[in-house]
Amino acid sequence: MLAIQAAVTIDLAYSERIPYTFKGRLQSRTSEACGSLSTSLPDQLFWPNSTQYSTETTDIWSETCLLSPSCVFEPNTAEDLSQGLKLIKMSGSKLSVRSGGHMPVPGAQSLDDGVMISMSRFNTQALNSDKTIASIGPGQTWIDVYTWLAQSDLVVNGGRYPSVGVGGELIGGGIGYFSGSRGWGCNDIVGYEVVLADGGIVYATGENTTFSDLFWALKGGHNNFGIVTRFDMRTIPIGSIYGGFLAWNGGAKEQFFDALEDYMAPGGGVDDPHSAINAFASIQPAKGSSSYSLENVILYSLPDPSPVALRGFTSINSSYLTTSEVSLHTTWTDIPNLLGQFSNRNGRSLFWSISYKGDPQAISIHNHTVIDGALEELTHVAGLTIYATWQPISKSWLEISQRSGDAIALDPETDGTFIAGMITSLWDNEEDDEAVYAFVEKAAQKIQSETTKVGLYNPFIYLNDAAKTQKPFDALGGGKSLPRLKEIQAKYDPDGFIKNYLQHGFSLE
């Protein structure tokens, strides 16, 4: 009841600011929006109980995010989206936008009693004449993009996992396999095609003074400014590369963390721009401590069969190995394809972002807090696997970001090399949602408290890994980005339609 009252309060405040006639009930507004879309764009509007409605509303990674929109609008083009957005706005209906549907934040891509816009038909794949720029539609997954570009021996600095969607990953910043030499994924974007709140279609670039502020805001500012219908990204020539997936049993713990410590040390692998790792520890509490496992996705973007930067991990005693799928690959897409095992969409999931300096003490705090705590408190949760994840961010990465200019705007000198840590939980049943969330929140607070005490905490919250109650915009640019983001939102959404009616994983409020 309180949630309904809150929504109505927002809607009424909004209706006082814009010159339309609103009906009194949200349901009738949504019915009007769906009806108008069905009349004007009949082949792009899908009602409940239709096959396409079911497909679009369930193509979402976490079951915690499966909601019941009143209808699904699946536009073919930016012009169709523009027309549809105007109709939705005129009706006063709520709306959501789904690209890949990977963010496990309820409301980030779907909603109850509103219009869900699916970007599935925005699947542009085009190269400019010299193949230095790839035009990419947001409705694709990254493996779609990588497979296409591999035919031309090219790649872009997109997402690491094959099932992650293009759209959400890029507007949240983007951690990629090639970020050591390219920065955030958004730093390689040269232009965005965007449908604004009034239905206008604009092309935002850093060189266009008219929309250069919008260009900056979209690089890490999430879906708070409009709906992106195309990303133009710089391409990267790619040949043979080294890498793959490694997993060890708990016996490798000492060697694994020694390797991670060496990797994060000054002059270690983190400072090699060709190197990338995504290291994590996992436990299945119901199965006890014997289920403790250590994993790492590694990549070296040159044809070196034994890169020094990764040798700490590749030299761990082989007797502890449970999976070894590492080699020199002539086709680089072999590596993201190896990670299909992490793309299961038949469960419940939660992310939580927590950052700190790449110091062994902070890494240990993260590991023990998550793993030991889960063994003590979550053995009753069916199907639970919980992960402590370490994602290195180098100083040189931040220097590239700084030169490019983006809303993330971390300071290479202040933030330096650090770890964008993460707690990931995957489990089976809705009845355990509250217990899992409460544990993860408490664990994150403990990690923050203990790393703060020893001067290792970093307040950066990576938006794409954040939980619903986190505030990822507060620390961007040392606190300076958020006021500017709000100003830009007000400029391009003066009557508050995107702000108040489009559902966000994370709003600017």
Side-chain angles (χ1 to χ4, degrees):
M1 184 63 180
L2 291 176
I4 294 174
Q5 289 175 343
V8 171
T9 299
I10 291 172
D11 288 346
L12 290 176
Y14 174 59
S15 69
E16 292 171 358
R17 293 199 299 273
I18 59 178
Y20 324 129
T21 300
F22 284 87
K23 298 179 181 178
R25 297 176 60 192
L26 293 176
Q27 190 172 12
S28 63
R29 298 178 189 179
T30 300
S31 296
E32 180 182 335
C34 293
S36 297
L37 289 166
S38 181
T39 299
S40 300
L41 299 159
D43 62 332
Q44 300 171 42
L45 194 283
F46 301 96
W47 297 99
N49 300 321
S50 68
T51 300
Q52 193 66 10
Y53 175 96
S54 177
T55 298
E56 295 297 339
T57 57
T58 59
D59 192 14
I60 289 171
W61 191 57
S62 175
E63 289 180 358
T64 60
C65 299
L66 296 181
L67 302 174
S68 300
S70 303
C71 61
V72 171
F73 173 44
E74 192 174 342
N76 291 319
T77 65
E79 290 74 19
D80 291 338
L81 176 58
S82 170
Q83 181 182 352
L85 196 62
K86 291 175 184 177
L87 293 172
I88 296 169
K89 185 174 182 179
M90 286 298 297
S91 71
S93 173
K94 295 186 297 178
L95 69 154
S96 67
V97 177
R98 183 187 65 73
S99 173
H102 193 267
M103 179 177 281
V105 175
Q109 61 285 98
S110 189
L111 77 171
D112 291 322
D113 300 322
V115 180
M116 176 184 180
I117 298 176
S118 166
M119 302 300 285
S120 295
R121 298 182 186 180
F122 286 85
N123 51 18
T124 300
Q125 296 180 346
L127 290 166
N128 68 347
S129 58
D130 62 3
K131 298 186 177 183
T132 58
I133 304 295
S135 295
I136 303 168
Q140 303 171 88
T141 61
W142 282 110
I143 198 61
D144 298 328
V145 175
Y146 295 151
T147 302
W148 159 60
L149 286 172
Q151 300 171 44
S152 301
D153 295 322
L154 297 170
V155 70
V156 290
N157 188 31
R160 294 162 296 172
Y161 288 81
S163 65
V164 172
V166 167
E169 198 261 349
L170 287 177
I171 60 175
I175 294 177
Y177 290 115
F178 307 95
S179 285
S181 61
R182 314 293 294 196
W184 305 102
C186 65
N187 295 137
D188 264 343
I189 296 174
V190 299
Y192 300 85
E193 182 183 74
V194 191
V195 178
L196 300 176
D198 64 0
I201 303 172
V202 303
Y203 185 68
T205 74
E207 300 173 358
N208 188 328
T209 56
T210 304
F211 302 114
S212 58
D213 53 354
L214 179 62
F215 179 78
W216 175 87
L218 289 168
K219 294 199 283 184
H222 198 42
N223 68 338
N224 290 292
F225 311 94
I227 302 173
V228 179
T229 53
R230 193 184 80 232
F231 300 89
D232 291 346
M233 293 188 73
R234 296 184 187 93
T235 60
I236 308 166
I238 191 76
S240 297
I241 64 166
Y242 177 83
F245 178 68
L246 293 164
W248 304 266
N249 62 36
K253 181 177 178 179
E254 182 177 350
Q255 291 183 53
F256 176 89
F257 285 107
D258 284 348
L260 183 56
E261 177 183 346
D262 290 345
Y263 189 89
M264 294 304 302
V270 70
D271 290 329
D272 186 329
H274 301 292
S275 175
I277 69 169
N278 185 24
F280 46 98
S282 68
I283 195 82
Q284 298 175 58
K287 296 182 179 180
S289 59
S290 64
S291 66
Y292 183 65
S293 179
L294 300 154
E295 293 94 5
N296 201 356
V297 182
I298 63 174
L299 182 142
Y300 199 75
S301 60
L302 295 177
D304 184 343
S306 182
V308 173
L310 300 173
R311 203 166 290 167
F313 295 103
T314 57
S315 63
I316 291 175
N317 192 315
S318 61
S319 66
Y320 301 124
L321 277 169
T322 57
T323 303
S324 180
E325 297 176 318
V326 174
S327 64
L328 190 65
H329 297 270
T330 56
T331 303
W332 99 272
T333 52
D334 291 347
I335 293 179
N337 275 320
L338 285 173
L339 304 179
Q341 62 184 298
F342 298 103
S343 300
N344 190 342
R345 294 188 176 222
N346 298 318
R348 311 179 75 77
S349 57
L350 170 68
F351 294 168
W352 199 292
S353 175
I354 183 85
S355 299
Y356 45 80
K357 293 180 181 178
D359 182 274
Q361 187 174 1
I363 292 169
S364 178
I365 290 169
H366 185 175
N367 179 59
H368 286 290
T369 300
V370 173
I371 302 301
D372 296 347
L375 281 172
E376 292 174 5
E377 300 183 34
L378 297 177
T379 56
H380 65 286
V381 178
L384 174 65
T385 303
I386 193 164
Y387 301 82
T389 300
W390 299 279
Q391 301 174 123
I393 310 293
S394 67
K395 180 179 179 181
S396 61
W397 175 332
L398 300 185
E399 289 170 343
I400 295 166
S401 165
Q402 189 177 64
R403 291 194 296 271
S404 170
D406 55 51
I408 299 170
L410 298 182
D411 189 326
E413 299 302 325
T414 303
D415 294 290
T417 294
F418 71 97
I419 288 175
M422 185 180 178
I423 305 171
T424 302
S425 304
L426 308 173
W427 69 102
D428 290 344
N429 300 321
E430 183 178 359
E431 65 195 43
D432 294 316
D433 288 5
E434 186 175 339
V436 173
Y437 190 89
F439 169 79
V440 172
E441 182 177 39
K442 182 175 69 173
Q445 290 172 346
K446 182 178 180 180
I447 295 167
Q448 178 177 341
S449 175
E450 294 194 10
T451 55
T452 298
K453 288 177 185 177
V454 292
L456 299 174
Y457 177 68
N458 185 317
F460 172 66
I461 296 170
Y462 179 47
L463 185 146
N464 289 346
D465 293 343
K468 60 185 178 182
T469 55
Q470 293 192 272
K471 303 290 185 182
F473 298 111
D474 288 0
L476 300 188
K480 296 179 181 179
S481 289
L482 183 55
R484 186 180 176 193
L485 287 169
K486 288 181 176 181
E487 290 177 2
I488 294 168
Q489 183 185 60
K491 175 181 175 181
Y492 291 99
D493 183 29
D495 47 23
F497 176 63
I498 295 291
K499 176 182 178 181
N500 295 317
Y501 274 44
L502 176 61
Q503 306 302 289
H504 310 281
F506 302 96
S507 72
L508 298 179
E509 297 306 306

